Amino acid sequence: MDPFSLLILVIAVTSFLSFQWLFHRASPWVSTRISPGFLRLAEKQKVEWNSRTVSTFHALVVGLFCLYILLFDDAVNEDPVWGDPTLVQINVGMTTGYLISDVLLIFYYWKAIGDKFFVLHHLAALYAYYYVLGQGMLPYFANFRLLAEFSTPCVNQRWFFEVLGYAKSSRPNIANGMAMAVVFFLVRIAIMPVYYWRMWTVYGTEAFYRVPPGGRAAWIISSVCLDVMNVMWMHKIARGCYKVMRSGRRHKVETEENGKTD
């Protein structure tokens, strides 16, 4: 094992241990101090709360690192298939530790957060990351995909509001719903043309054929499947956001009418 592979292994293990600590120690400690409603939750809800807190932290750290790589890593941007993967491997190493941690927590707390879809999603992602971490290929595309993590905090915040009893028509819920729709669209839908254009520019080149069949399958097939799901989710989010906005406007009109009547 060369030194850099050892470094990636250390990063992944450190990430795994850090996210376990965040779940079991940091999240409960912080949550009890910033949200009194946390103490009133059922045990299963506390488990999911801690899981989503860790998920949000991971999304912000990895997402910001992805953005930095996209803007400033010239080697990866100039050669998206075989460019120097160092920074991307570090970021993917952190995500790998998180995914393994999350899978173990899902199995251990299956009655609270068990979800077959998430298990399959995590395992598929780990399979794809093998080619990035083990063989240093496709760094640009792996990094581009991780930009989708920016939508995770808003999705989790929606659950936090719901479990704390916020009305769907409340201002915080409406504001978060709008932010979720906008961010989800930007990082999962609007970037599709750029992603597939870069894929098209390397298709059929020597660099493309150097990628083994398994790597090509993990790259192309998983990308298409994921984006089909993203379009379906975007449709649901847009419909939900529209319903909440209509509900909020209706509530405002009713309040104003009652005020005039009084």
Side-chain angles (χ1 to χ4, degrees):
M1 180 178 292
D2 59 60
F4 189 71
S5 296
L6 180 60
L7 174 61
I8 296 302
L9 178 60
V10 170
I11 290 173
V13 171
T14 302
S15 172
F16 170 83
L17 295 175
S18 298
F19 285 115
Q20 285 286 316
W21 176 79
L22 285 169
F23 176 88
H24 291 287
R25 301 295 181 186
S27 176
W29 188 86
V30 173
S31 298
T32 56
R33 285 157 177 78
I34 66 173
S35 179
F38 176 77
L39 295 174
R40 297 192 296 270
L41 299 179
E43 287 304 314
K44 289 184 179 180
Q45 291 175 319
K46 288 181 179 179
V47 170
E48 185 164 358
W49 178 293
N50 293 330
S51 176
R52 288 180 179 272
T53 300
V54 173
S55 170
T56 296
F57 180 80
H58 164 262
L60 291 174
V61 172
V62 170
L64 290 172
F65 200 0
C66 280
L67 193 59
Y68 172 84
I69 294 170
L70 187 66
L71 295 175
F72 301 109
D73 194 331
D74 294 334
V76 168
N77 291 317
E78 291 173 5
D79 185 355
V81 181
W82 293 102
D84 181 8
T86 303
L87 293 181
V88 176
Q89 285 181 319
I90 291 173
N91 209 19
V92 170
M94 289 191 290
T95 296
T96 297
Y98 165 74
L99 292 176
I100 295 174
S101 172
D102 199 44
V103 167
L104 293 179
L105 291 172
I106 288 174
F107 280 126
Y108 190 79
Y109 296 103
W110 186 262
K111 292 183 178 180
I113 57 175
D115 190 315
K116 293 179 181 179
F117 172 78
F118 276 109
V119 173
L120 292 175
H121 170 272
H122 287 3
L123 293 178
L126 289 171
Y127 169 72
Y129 291 157
Y130 160 75
Y131 292 97
V132 182
L133 297 177
Q135 302 185 37
M137 61 183 65
L138 304 169
Y140 174 88
F141 298 100
N143 184 69
F144 212 94
R145 275 300 175 190
L146 279 174
L147 286 173
E149 288 296 330
F150 273 121
S151 65
T152 300
C154 289
V155 174
N156 287 336
Q157 189 60 48
R158 181 186 181 186
W159 183 89
F160 290 141
F161 282 145
E162 179 181 347
V163 79
L164 289 174
Y166 281 71
K168 290 185 177 181
S169 58
S170 65
R171 288 186 179 180
N173 233 327
I174 292 176
N176 181 71
M178 292 291 293
M180 180 175 67
V182 171
V183 174
F184 193 98
F185 175 78
L186 290 176
V187 301
R188 292 178 183 260
I189 306 298
I191 65 173
M192 283 185 192
V194 178
Y195 182 85
Y196 287 104
W197 175 77
R198 289 305 301 267
M199 184 183 289
W200 175 254
T201 61
V202 300
Y203 182 81
T205 62
E206 180 185 355
F208 174 83
Y209 286 115
R210 285 172 57 198
V211 178
R216 282 181 239 162
W219 171 27
I220 299 174
I221 296 176
S222 64
S223 293
V224 173
C225 292
L226 183 60
D227 284 329
V228 169
M229 289 189 290
N230 282 333
V231 171
M232 294 171 60
W233 287 333
M234 185 72 248
H235 178 67
K236 291 183 178 180
I237 290 172
R239 288 184 60 186
C241 189
Y242 176 71
K243 289 180 180 179
V244 170
M245 289 177 64
R246 283 192 61 187
S247 175
R249 284 199 295 266
R250 190 183 305 116
H251 177 73
K252 182 178 179 181
V253 171
E254 291 175 353
T255 301
E256 290 176 350
E257 290 178 350
N258 291 334
K260 291 178 180 178
T261 303
D262 293 341

